[in-house]
Amino acid sequence: AQTVTQSQPEMSVQEAETVTLSCTYDTSESDYYLFWYKQPPSRQMILVIRQEAYKQQNATENRFSVNFQKAAKSFSLKISDSQLGDAAMYFCAYTLETSGSRLTFGEGTQLTVNP
Amino acid sequence: KAGVTQTPRYLIKTRGQQVTLSCSPISGHRSVSWYQQTPGQGLQFLFEYFSETQRNKGNFPGRFSGRQFSNSRSEMNVSTLELGDSALYLCASSWGLAAYNEQFFGPGTRLTVL
């Protein structure tokens, strides 16, 4: 079965500090895309960052970056200079090249940012 | 550009009833996907529509159905509601079917079944 595991149900970080959220996935496919989504209390899911599995270079988006280890099937998210607005539930997810837009999500990590 | 809209935002129904939820994608987007979010099961894929055709279906009973109209708007229907159907139902739209397309989510419809 295709699965995504986020082993940290909750994480906290001090404002301006750095935090890393973990994610591992399991798929036998070789072509896929990995995502981190953020869901704030408003419940609106927002894409944070995307990584193509065929790219070795780790994706970055401003303060957000990933550590993609394809052989280990690991896809962690690093948030630098954490801000109060980063507080949210973060979901790791992937889509397979063969399954269209179908996202498989992890259980989520609730991130708290302390002032 | 307007985002994905979902109506209604909140809904309360009783067991045995049926419900229809609506999703209007971002203008120009032709793919619409539906997800169910519950505390116990997390986010689970329901189905995906593209050009009025169901292209992908998750592991849900036949009580869950959907459709897409020629303007790409989509509806999902749940018949014979059960308590376990209480959830946040999220709709997402994207330009096409390809896996790399970014999906944009709506605010969700919160369904409560009493």
Side-chain angles (χ1 to χ4, degrees):
Chain A
Q2 329 267 20
T3 60
V4 180
T5 302
Q6 294 178 247
S7 59
Q8 307 148 316
E10 298 177 347
M11 292 281 285
S12 64
V13 62
Q14 291 297 125
E15 199 175 0
E17 298 293 308
T18 296
V19 64
T20 299
L21 308 184
S22 301
C23 172
T24 58
Y25 59 94
D26 186 20
T27 177
S28 56
E29 303 275 337
S30 58
D31 297 321
Y32 51 89
Y33 300 84
L34 295 158
F35 307 86
W36 278 98
Y37 279 90
K38 167 186 176 181
Q39 188 178 41
S42 68
R43 312 301 285 178
Q44 183 109 27
M45 291 278 255
I46 302 163
L47 179 64
V48 174
I49 198 164
R50 172 174 56 189
Q51 173 80 44
E52 293 86 347
Y54 62 84
K55 287 188 177 178
Q56 292 186 327
Q57 186 173 6
N58 289 323
T60 62
E61 284 288 341
N62 301 313
R63 299 181 295 106
F64 300 87
S65 61
V66 298
N67 183 3
F68 174 46
Q69 302 289 329
K70 190 170 184 179
K73 295 183 180 176
S74 170
F75 183 60
S76 60
L77 174 69
K78 185 171 83 170
I79 306 174
S80 305
D81 186 25
S82 296
Q83 301 175 359
L84 295 177
D86 294 333
M89 181 73 88
Y90 286 80
F91 292 96
C92 177
Y94 71 79
T95 58
L96 301 177
E97 187 69 55
T98 54
S99 64
S101 304
R102 177 178 184 156
L103 284 160
T104 299
F105 286 93
E107 311 92 327
T109 296
Q110 182 67 53
L111 178 66
T112 300
V113 181
N114 300 309
Chain B
K1 199 182 235 187
V4 178
T5 58
Q6 292 187 246
T7 57
R9 293 292 310 276
Y10 302 91
L11 207 47
I12 299 175
K13 292 285 188 179
T14 56
R15 279 181 300 173
Q17 288 187 308
Q18 74 166 17
V19 67
T20 298
L21 313 181
S22 180
C23 171
S24 292
I26 290 172
S27 177
H29 284 190
R30 298 168 63 194
S31 172
V32 174
S33 297
W34 290 88
Y35 295 85
Q36 181 196 64
Q37 186 174 21
T38 60
Q41 299 297 317
L43 280 150
Q44 294 188 287
F45 172 81
L46 280 156
F47 26 64
E48 175 182 21
Y49 285 87
F50 181 82
S51 293
E52 302 177 64
T53 302
Q54 188 179 90
R55 302 293 179 143
N56 221 331
K57 190 177 190 307
N59 189 25
F60 278 81
R63 301 185 296 107
F64 291 81
S65 63
R67 59 178 176 168
Q68 187 181 35
F69 301 95
S70 58
N71 62 357
S72 294
R73 189 177 70 86
S74 177
E75 289 181 347
M76 68 163 280
N77 184 277
V78 188
S79 62
T80 319
L81 285 165
E82 300 177 0
L83 295 179
D85 296 333
S86 294
L88 180 69
Y89 290 88
L90 295 170
C91 160
S93 78
S94 61
W95 185 83
L97 267 179
Y100 60 76
N101 284 321
E102 179 177 352
Q103 293 191 60
F104 295 82
F105 283 81
T109 293
R110 170 76 64 186
L111 172 65
T112 302
V113 182
L114 302 175

